[in-house]
Amino acid sequence: MAARLTFLLAMLSSLITQMFGSGVFELDLHEFKNFKGLLANGEPCRPECRTFFRVCLKNYQAVVSPGDCIFGSTVTPVLGTNSFRVGGEPLSTPIRLPFSFGWPGSFSLIIEAWYSPVDSNNPDLMISSFAVQRQLEVGAEWSQDVQSGQQTELRYSYRFICNENYYGDSCSKICTPRDDRFGHYTCNPDGQLSCLPGWKGEYCEEPICLKGCSEANGNCSKPGECVCREGWQGTFCTECKKHPVCKHGTCQQPWQCNCKEGWGGLFCDQDLNFCTHHKPCKNGATCMNTGQGSYTCTCMPGYTGVNCEMEVRQCDSKPCRNRGHCVELDNSYKCNCTPGFEGTHCEHSLLTCADVPCFHGGKCHEKDNGRSYSCDCPRGYTGLNCEKRLDKCTTLPCANGGACVVLGGVSMCRCHTGFTGQRCEININECTSNPCANGGTCHDRISDYVCSCPPGYGGRNCNQLTGGCPAQFCLNGGSCATVPGGSPACFCPSSFTGPHCEYFAVTPTVETEGFQWAAVSLAVGLVALLVLLCMVAIALRHIHRQANDERTHADAMNNLSDTQRDNLIPTSQLKNTNKKVGLEVDCGPEKSNYIHKNYHLDYNSKDFKETPLQEDKSHNYEKCLEDKIPLSRMYSEKPECRISTICSPRDSMYQSVFVIAEERSECVIATEV
């Protein structure tokens, strides 16, 4: 909607510009040639081709076609016969086609040459016809053109000019010069207003006042004048008017009365002091009012009197000492000293070497036959009498802006940054610290350095990347390119990452994933195989041990004699020689066969201690040991276990006790060690 409205406004503006305008299209025919004196149909003119022209001006057409001459048309009188030049009567001025609308900037033109016989009006008497289309800007300059036909040629020129008071590219801008109360201006060639001298404003209706006239306090109705507003006066209206009855006052704003010095009151008509009004004191003296019209003057040196009007003679004060003679001068005096004295007032006596005038051990030498002297001062002192201590810094001039200082009686130079040495004469080489990175070349300067950077680097120390790709900037096959801003960047392969492609990519590719899963599967398989082999070995070992235990138990049972079998006693008759000793029985509820274990019984110890001599570590059995339980109690609680004893040799202090499983193989056999 907005675009359509904008288009309509543009079209309306164009139409209004073209509707309102005023100009004229001018066509100037220069020369026409009819080489053979023939008509367009090839027939000859009789007796000659009396020629006139028809001109048709219309809108621009890519292919000019006959039709209405919407821009205008005209017919000339007979201008000549056959070949002729146009000039003078009957066509002394160019052909003019006036416009009452804006010039569009382009046109189509049809020029026809016709034969005008005396006694005929036949339309077949055309000699030639020319049709052109052109772009044309408004201006006074003529555009030349030549049109050639099969047997004719026409030379002419054309232009488009604006009528009076019309300007612009389409002669649609109106500007009428004027010099009245509504404006004072002329028109520029582009139709802009040009103010007459002394006028300004949008329509040149404002006069330019006198240069320097106060804009706040004055105005004007015509150029070059300055009319003051009420309360102001002067050529430029910069002077205020004081109150009409103000006598001895001034103003800064209209109608003020600021009293001058020595005057007071509302209208500055009261005399405040005599000194201000009469200034009686002379020669720069200071006047002080003492009241009632009296005063006193404080005189400057050299003057005296009531009004300080009398000059004092300076020699009257006897300023010369030691009998010196005072001589009056115009504005001063001088003393002529007697021999042996000197100075402005003859206050200094002339010394000789006899008076020992040299200080600090200086040597005195007489001069002028003993009337004067000179001192040879020791090192570190100077002056007429060696009274001045020599500044040590005068012997040590510091170079390169260094400042000499004396510390502890020793003079030294305090150097500016970038210099060193006793006299600051050595320029410090700032390049010794190798500040330039990335192969940059360092150039020493005064108190500074400059780095010449290799391609691809910049900055003060060549530590910043610039446009372009340095050598070896991207690693692992990465490609370098310059990104917007001029800095290089690396485009890495899929397996690498990082600013310079220096790291492996976190997410592996398909080939890498396959390789890693294969490696993991192989490792898991190897571990499983190793565990299986270990389990098989443990099982074989357990089977082997179980077979050995059964074989050992069978041999032991076969070796029992009948006497020994008779020694089996009931539980009631079994006695424990040590009441504190208990028998520990290890029963395993999960055992399928009994297990033979050897336990060492220590009857001398407080508690019963077991020392396993042989144990199968391949299996973890759940123990059901009951500590410190008497054997009789064990038997009563475990009826399925039968306890028997076998006598040992008499010299033995131990007994062999066997616990044999009768119904279920859950008991452990304990034997003597």
Side-chain angles (χ1 to χ4, degrees):
M1 185 64 184
R4 182 177 300 176
L5 181 59
T6 303
F7 176 75
L8 290 176
L9 290 176
M11 290 295 295
L12 181 60
S13 176
S14 176
L15 289 175
I16 292 175
T17 301
Q18 293 184 1
M19 287 174 60
F20 298 98
S22 181
V24 60
F25 180 86
E26 293 187 344
L27 175 66
D28 192 5
L29 302 177
H30 300 305
E31 184 179 6
F32 180 74
K33 294 181 181 180
N34 188 347
F35 299 104
K36 298 180 180 181
L38 301 176
L39 298 175
N41 56 15
E43 296 182 1
C45 298
R46 293 185 179 88
E48 292 181 331
C49 292
R50 298 176 69 250
T51 306
F52 69 95
F53 296 91
R54 291 179 179 175
V55 178
C56 176
L57 185 65
K58 58 193 305 183
N59 59 302
Y60 182 89
Q61 294 177 328
V63 177
V64 181
S65 60
D68 295 336
C69 302
I70 59 175
F71 287 175
S73 63
T74 187
V75 178
T76 68
V78 176
L79 302 180
T81 58
N82 293 341
S83 297
F84 56 89
R85 295 182 63 84
V86 180
E89 295 296 338
L91 190 65
S92 59
T93 59
I95 300 171
R96 296 171 59 86
L97 299 176
F99 272 62
S100 59
F101 51 90
W103 173 244
S106 60
F107 66 93
S108 296
L109 180 65
I110 301 174
I111 304 176
E112 297 176 347
W114 289 83
Y115 168 50
S116 177
V118 179
D119 56 353
S120 177
N121 229 352
N122 191 345
D124 295 333
L125 301 181
M126 179 184 289
I127 299 174
S128 61
S129 178
F130 305 102
V132 296
Q133 65 273 71
R134 296 286 187 270
Q135 300 286 337
L136 179 62
E137 295 181 356
V138 175
E141 186 177 356
W142 290 90
S143 298
Q144 305 291 331
D145 201 356
V146 177
Q147 295 295 325
S148 298
Q150 188 174 4
Q151 57 188 12
T152 59
E153 179 182 278
L154 175 64
R155 293 181 179 273
Y156 62 97
S157 59
Y158 55 91
R159 68 178 180 180
F160 189 91
I161 58 175
C162 297
N163 287 335
E164 186 179 7
N165 300 331
Y166 286 86
Y167 301 89
D169 295 338
S170 60
C171 297
S172 58
K173 189 170 186 180
I174 302 175
C175 178
T176 304
R178 67 190 313 160
D179 188 8
D180 52 25
R181 63 192 183 95
F182 297 106
H184 307 270
Y185 56 86
T186 59
C187 299
N188 291 334
D190 57 353
Q192 298 294 330
L193 303 184
S194 177
C195 295
L196 295 176
W199 297 92
K200 64 179 180 178
E202 184 178 1
Y203 296 101
C204 306
E205 75 282 4
E206 301 177 16
I208 299 176
C209 298
L210 179 65
K211 185 177 181 181
C213 182
S214 173
E215 294 183 1
N217 306 327
N219 53 30
C220 58
S221 59
K222 61 182 180 179
E225 69 177 4
C226 187
V227 179
C228 298
R229 292 185 173 89
E230 187 64 28
W232 296 93
Q233 61 185 355
T235 305
F236 304 109
C237 302
T238 55
E239 302 173 10
C240 60
K241 289 182 179 180
K242 63 182 181 180
H243 198 277
V245 296
C246 183
K247 291 185 177 180
H248 302 282
T250 60
C251 66
Q252 294 179 345
Q253 294 295 329
W255 320 124
Q256 286 182 344
C257 188
N258 300 326
C259 297
K260 296 180 181 178
E261 185 180 0
W263 297 94
L266 183 61
F267 300 109
C268 302
D269 53 355
Q270 298 179 9
D271 190 357
L272 297 181
N273 57 66
F274 189 86
C275 292
T276 302
H277 302 149
H278 301 282
K279 294 182 172 52
C281 300
K282 309 297 181 183
N283 298 311
T286 303
C287 181
M288 297 181 63
N289 293 300
T290 57
Q292 298 180 357
S294 62
Y295 64 95
T296 59
C297 293
T298 303
C299 301
M300 295 289 290
Y303 296 94
T304 187
V306 177
N307 296 326
C308 302
E309 74 281 2
M310 298 174 58
E311 184 177 359
V312 177
R313 294 178 61 86
Q314 298 189 25
C315 287
D316 293 344
S317 62
K318 297 180 180 180
C320 300
R321 301 170 59 186
N322 298 313
R323 300 183 302 277
H325 177 65
C326 182
V327 179
E328 292 283 352
L329 300 177
D330 293 337
N331 296 318
S332 183
Y333 67 93
K334 73 173 183 176
C335 292
N336 293 330
C337 302
T338 59
F341 294 94
E342 64 178 358
T344 304
H345 300 95
C346 303
E347 70 275 16
H348 299 302
S349 62
L350 292 174
L351 301 177
T352 62
C353 287
D355 299 316
V356 192
C358 301
F359 296 98
H360 301 106
K363 295 182 180 181
C364 183
H365 299 282
E366 292 185 350
K367 296 172 59 179
D368 298 335
N369 296 325
R371 290 182 296 178
S372 63
Y373 66 95
S374 65
C375 294
D376 291 341
C377 300
R379 184 176 182 182
Y381 295 93
T382 186
L384 179 63
N385 298 317
C386 304
E387 74 278 8
K388 298 180 181 179
R389 183 182 296 274
L390 186 64
D391 186 4
K392 293 185 178 183
C393 283
T394 58
T395 60
L396 184 64
C398 299
N400 297 310
C404 179
V405 295
V406 179
L407 298 175
V410 180
S411 59
M412 61 182 62
C413 287
R414 181 176 294 167
C415 303
H416 279 305
T417 304
F419 295 95
T420 187
Q422 185 179 4
R423 296 179 55 253
C424 305
E425 73 278 8
I426 301 174
N427 179 23
I428 297 176
N429 187 2
E430 282 80 10
C431 290
T432 56
S433 61
N434 297 322
C436 302
N438 299 308
T441 303
C442 183
H443 304 281
D444 182 41
R445 297 287 187 271
I446 297 176
S447 303
D448 200 359
Y449 64 91
V450 175
C451 292
S452 297
C453 303
Y457 294 93
R460 173 174 172 81
N461 297 325
C462 303
N463 55 353
Q464 299 177 1
L465 293 175
T466 60
C469 294
Q472 302 298 325
F473 184 76
C474 300
L475 306 176
N476 298 312
S479 60
C480 180
T482 303
V483 299
S487 59
C490 289
F491 296 92
C492 305
S494 59
S495 301
F496 297 93
T497 185
H500 303 282
C501 306
E502 68 270 26
Y503 305 118
F504 284 103
V506 175
T507 304
T509 60
V510 176
E511 292 78 4
T512 306
E513 290 180 356
F515 174 78
Q516 290 182 351
W517 281 111
V520 170
S521 301
L522 181 60
V524 171
L526 291 175
V527 171
L529 180 61
L530 182 60
V531 171
L532 181 61
L533 292 176
C534 291
M535 293 176 63
V536 171
I538 292 172
L540 293 175
R541 181 178 179 184
H542 175 69
I543 295 172
H544 178 70
R545 285 202 174 200
Q546 188 174 6
N548 290 336
D549 291 342
E550 292 177 355
R551 191 181 301 110
T552 303
H553 178 66
D555 292 340
M557 294 299 296
N558 293 329
N559 291 331
L560 288 177
S561 61
D562 296 335
T563 306
Q564 290 174 334
R565 292 187 179 95
D566 294 337
N567 288 335
L568 294 176
I569 58 177
T571 304
S572 60
Q573 297 178 4
L574 180 63
K575 294 181 180 181
N576 189 356
T577 59
N578 191 348
K579 298 296 182 178
K580 296 180 180 181
V581 176
L583 180 63
E584 294 182 359
V585 180
D586 187 6
C587 298
E590 296 179 359
K591 298 177 184 178
S592 60
N593 296 317
Y594 66 88
I595 301 173
H596 179 205
K597 290 187 179 181
N598 295 326
Y599 288 86
H600 178 269
L601 302 178
D602 188 358
Y603 292 93
N604 295 325
S605 62
K606 183 178 179 179
D607 299 327
F608 177 77
K609 297 181 180 179
E610 61 178 354
T611 305
L613 298 181
Q614 186 176 5
E615 183 178 3
D616 188 0
K617 297 181 180 181
S618 300
H619 298 81
N620 292 326
Y621 298 103
E622 183 179 355
K623 294 182 179 181
C624 60
L625 298 177
E626 297 181 3
D627 296 341
K628 301 178 182 181
I629 301 175
L631 190 59
S632 60
R633 181 181 176 184
M634 177 64 70
Y635 179 75
S636 62
E637 293 179 357
K638 299 286 184 176
E640 68 272 15
C641 295
R642 186 183 62 191
I643 302 174
S644 65
T645 180
I646 301 175
C647 295
S648 61
R650 297 180 181 274
D651 56 352
S652 175
M653 58 183 299
Y654 302 103
Q655 293 181 354
S656 298
V657 179
F658 289 89
V659 179
I660 301 173
E662 186 174 9
E663 296 178 359
R664 291 185 303 175
S665 299
E666 293 180 357
C667 297
V668 179
I669 301 174
T671 61
E672 177 187 352
V673 178

